Amino acid sequence: MNNSSGQQPDSTRSDLPVQAGPGAARLVIRRDGVIERRMVLGEVVITVGRALSNDLVLSYEGVSRRHAEFHPCPEGVMVVDVGSANGTFVDGRRLAPHVPHLLRDSMFCSIGPYTITYHAPGSLSRIGALPTVPLPEAS
């Protein structure tokens, strides 16, 4: 769908609505320290990659067309690298392709320049709900 300027909408915009109760699990997506999007996790798999067919599109050359998936499970959420070229990292460690990794509250995934932080249902880590703005340069 094109907007009035004729450009494709950017699916990582932070102005997209978020419908979440206090008990909802969520992902907070940052690039260069700035929140670009928040996603509420439901019961379906979230696909991540550069292709527009993904649920979460990360527009960067170093992100594979199909890069990773987030799978809800009774214990929380599992992240799986689906064979990406440049890897998916959890708390700084590269995941083996096609091997699910359980995320715990406040753990983060790195995909290219993006950081995706997982916040568990009922989490006390409210920092993900706050806006992030860059600090002014020191003069």
Side-chain angles (χ1 to χ4, degrees), residues 16-105:
L16 297 174
V18 173
Q19 303 288 325
R26 62 200 184 283
L27 299 176
V28 177
I29 298 91
R30 291 180 175 86
R31 182 172 179 174
D32 299 324
V34 177
I35 293 175
E36 290 200 355
R37 185 170 180 188
R38 295 175 184 94
M39 292 185 79
V40 175
L41 297 176
E43 297 178 5
V44 298
V45 173
I46 302 291
T47 60
V48 180
R50 196 176 71 241
L52 294 176
S53 58
N54 288 291
D55 301 307
L56 175 58
V57 177
L58 302 179
S59 302
Y60 181 76
E61 281 185 30
V63 175
S64 296
R65 286 181 194 94
R66 287 230 30 238
H67 198 103
E69 296 175 345
F70 290 91
H71 294 257
C73 65
E75 298 82 17
V77 68
M78 301 284 243
V79 61
V80 180
D81 182 289
V82 294
S84 68
N86 294 316
T88 302
F89 298 79
V90 173
D91 287 346
R93 295 185 182 171
R94 187 173 184 151
L95 298 181
H98 306 288
V99 177
H101 184 87
L102 179 64
L103 295 180
R104 303 208 185 279
D105 186 47

